[in-house]
Amino acid sequence: MAVHGYEAVRSFCDHPQMSRNPLHAATYDADRAAERLERWPLLEGSLTSGLERGEEGLSLMRELLAPDFRPAMIRKMAATVQDVVAKVLALIQFERELDLVRLVREVPLIVITKLLGLDEATEDSELFLNAAPDYFRGINPIVPDDARDRAELAARRMTGVLERAVENRRARPRTDMVSQVLEIADGIDDATTEDVIRALVILVAAGTDTTRLTSSLAVKTLLNHPEEFERLRADRSLVKNAVMELLRYESPTKFLVRIAMDDVEWEGQTIRKGSLVLLSIFGAGWDPRVFAEPERFDVRRDLKGSLSFGFGSGYCLGVHLARLQVGEILGFYLDHLPSTATLDPSRITWDPMNLMLREVTSLPVRIR
Ligand code: HEM
């Protein structure tokens, strides 16, 4: 079932009886799971164990990664992010027409590899550029087996790069994030190198598609609302809030996925143990009981309580980095995308098979 209202989405995000682990699904079949694990070991491994440490425990992934995602750490990245954005988006100053989905796609990937200190990945950035979206697509419960095969291959390639990086940092520690995560892992009793690598693969996947789609959908919204675009140009102090409104108005996330671990009573009905529950982040952001006149795009809107980055114990680890990047990308568009730029809605394309994300695949913009 799917829930769309703000209160239900918020409460199920972090509900004690709702798990993110597909092992709890009613359709779970141990024989089939063993077959799947054999065919897609990296993919299934990351899904099923999910680096969870007991149902109540803080996930190992958060223990390993959270210290590096604190706001103060991310603030130090501001100049780097600005530099990456300026370089990757530079073409916009010269071309007549560009696909802005394609243009922006390298930004989150380069930023994350710089954050991790992964020179190995930036050298082979094409590999990561293709691998991260393929991997993310494979986590999607409705994709066919051949997409899962591609995702497994992607995970293997990403793992290979990360394994080499981990090996290098073990031998010669640096000040980068891979070295820091290894140091944290050494202080946790049962954390293995494999856990570190799995956490890093998930991190790369979680931080790239979401940011790319947010930035792409943002252009669509802004070109469709020229008056708000101009308001932002005139007052850059609104950019931070505009990022959150862009996320609400054209959410990159369709659904978060949960599984009921027990019968759960909700609005007079019973959600049966083992049911798949889809939480519509988009719906929550358009709930008029919380966000009045949701169809109005308003960069000055009060967005307290926004669920765009989730809620509770699984709240987005990369929230500060995401807001920084989308803000910088938006700033670049405000500087370089002329008011005369136009978007032909009939040429926008989407990938309808992506259950979790609103995957816009091309956004051709006539720049001048
Ligand atoms: C605008 C971009 C982004 C959006 C909209 C977004 C959204 C979200 C949401 C809604 C969740 C909660 C998932 C759930 O409860 O099932 C989440 C989790 C997560 N996000 Fe993001 N995210 C973004 C960018 C990033 C970035 C840049 C990173 C890291 C580099 C990141 C890393 C993560 C991780 C690791 C989790 C899982 C946390 C956990 O399981 O404890 N995200 N994100």
Side-chain angles (χ1 to χ4, degrees), residues 213-225 228-229 232 238-253 282 286 296-301 303 306 308 326-327 329-331 333-334 358:
L213 295 176
T214 303
S215 312
S216 306
L217 293 168
V219 180
K220 175 172 175 286
T221 306
L222 291 168
L223 292 179
N224 286 335
H225 296 85
E228 289 298 279
F229 203 177
L232 281 176
L238 294 171
V239 165
K240 242 176 140 175
N241 199 59
V243 170
M244 294 308 290
E245 174 66 346
L246 287 161
L247 276 158
R248 181 199 71 80
Y249 191 80
E250 280 271 16
S251 168
T253 314
F282 199 117
W286 278 64
R296 192 168 45 81
F297 173 66
D298 175 3
V299 295
R300 291 172 299 182
R301 182 188 288 276
L303 289 144
S306 156
S308 293
V326 180
I329 292 169
L330 187 50
Y333 286 144
L334 291 170
R358 296 182 61 234

Side-chain angles (χ1 to χ4, degrees), residues 3-14 244 247-248 251-256 258 279-287 290-291 303-312 314-316 319:
V3 295
H4 296 270
Y6 178 93
E7 279 309 326
V9 170
R10 184 173 186 271
S11 113
F12 290 159
C13 257
D14 201 22
M244 294 308 290
L247 276 158
R248 181 199 71 80
S251 168
T253 314
K254 278 184 203 163
F255 294 115
L256 303 182
R258 297 291 186 269
L279 312 182
S280 169
I281 292 293
F282 199 117
W286 278 64
D287 186 335
V290 182
F291 301 105
L303 289 144
K304 260 198 300 300
S306 156
L307 300 179
S308 293
F309 290 101
F311 176 73
Y315 189 69
C316 178
V319 56

Side-chain angles (χ1 to χ4, degrees), residues 13-14 20 50 59 61-62 65 69 108 112 115 199 202-215 243 247 251-253 255-258 279 281 307-323 325-326 357:
C13 257
D14 201 22
R20 286 191 281 173
S59 86
M61 180 169 66
R62 288 191 94 86
L65 302 175
F69 280 93
I112 205 158
L115 173 76
I202 293 174
L203 182 72
V204 175
T208 44
D209 273 14
T210 42
T211 311
R212 170 174 53 84
L213 295 176
T214 303
S215 312
V243 170
L247 276 158
S251 168
T253 314
F255 294 115
L256 303 182
V257 179
R258 297 291 186 269
L279 312 182
I281 292 293
L307 300 179
S308 293
F309 290 101
F311 176 73
S313 58
Y315 189 69
C316 178
L317 261 181
V319 56
H320 304 295
L321 182 60
R323 293 180 70 171
Q325 283 185 82
V326 180
L357 298 178

Side-chain angles (χ1 to χ4, degrees), residues 66-322:
D68 284 302
F69 280 93
R70 287 188 302 250
M73 304 298 280
I74 296 304
R75 269 198 298 276
K76 290 189 195 153
M77 291 283 293
T80 308
V81 173
Q82 203 167 32
D83 190 46
V84 173
V85 168
K87 284 197 178 111
V88 175
L89 302 192
L91 266 186
I92 217 168
Q93 297 162 84
F94 311 107
E95 298 288 325
R96 285 173 65 81
E97 183 175 310
L98 278 172
D99 173 359
L100 294 191
V101 177
R102 205 175 162 73
L103 183 71
V104 85
R105 72 182 190 135
E106 283 188 21
V107 172
L109 195 84
I110 298 178
V111 166
I112 205 158
T113 50
K114 280 189 184 289
L115 173 76
L116 290 167
L118 274 182
D119 318 341
E120 296 87 345
T122 15
E123 274 162 25
D124 203 354
S125 74
E126 203 46 46
L127 179 158
F128 258 69
L129 272 176
N130 296 320
D134 275 354
Y135 170 76
F136 204 82
R137 208 160 293 136
I139 302 177
N140 177 350
I142 61 167
V143 292
D145 286 357
D146 63 334
R148 270 184 223 287
D149 289 339
R150 273 199 302 283
E152 181 67 23
L153 182 66
R156 210 176 304 150
R157 299 171 83 185
M158 286 161 73
T159 303
V161 175
L162 292 163
E163 270 170 357
R164 281 197 294 285
V166 163
E167 234 170 75
N168 289 343
R169 301 309 183 279
R170 276 229 189 272
R172 283 175 299 281
R174 297 193 200 161
T175 53
D176 62 27
M177 191 167 154
V178 172
S179 307
Q180 283 163 34
V181 173
L182 281 171
E183 203 182 309
I184 297 171
D186 286 342
I188 302 174
D189 265 357
D190 46 357
T192 62
T193 302
E194 213 189 355
D195 291 331
V196 169
I197 291 167
R198 214 156 26 163
L200 294 175
V201 170
I202 293 174
L203 182 72
V204 175
T208 44
D209 273 14
T210 42
T211 311
R212 170 174 53 84
L213 295 176
T214 303
S215 312
S216 306
L217 293 168
V219 180
K220 175 172 175 286
T221 306
L222 291 168
L223 292 179
N224 286 335
H225 296 85
E227 63 305 330
E228 289 298 279
F229 203 177
E230 290 316 313
R231 192 191 301 282
L232 281 176
R233 273 198 232 269
D235 183 357
R236 300 296 174 100
S237 71
L238 294 171
V239 165
K240 242 176 140 175
N241 199 59
V243 170
M244 294 308 290
E245 174 66 346
L246 287 161
L247 276 158
R248 181 199 71 80
Y249 191 80
E250 280 271 16
S251 168
T253 314
K254 278 184 203 163
F255 294 115
L256 303 182
V257 179
R258 297 291 186 269
I259 286 124
M261 291 193 292
D262 218 328
D263 285 358
V264 175
E265 296 306 319
W266 174 64
E267 291 191 352
Q269 44 175 317
T270 306
I271 302 173
R272 293 276 166 229
K273 179 176 176 173
S275 311
L276 187 72
V277 186
L278 300 176
L279 312 182
S280 169
I281 292 293
F282 199 117
W286 278 64
D287 186 335
R289 291 165 293 191
V290 182
F291 301 105
E293 298 174 63
E295 65 289 349
R296 192 168 45 81
F297 173 66
D298 175 3
V299 295
R300 291 172 299 182
R301 182 188 288 276
D302 179 358
L303 289 144
K304 260 198 300 300
S306 156
L307 300 179
S308 293
F309 290 101
F311 176 73
S313 58
Y315 189 69
C316 178
L317 261 181
V319 56
H320 304 295
L321 182 60

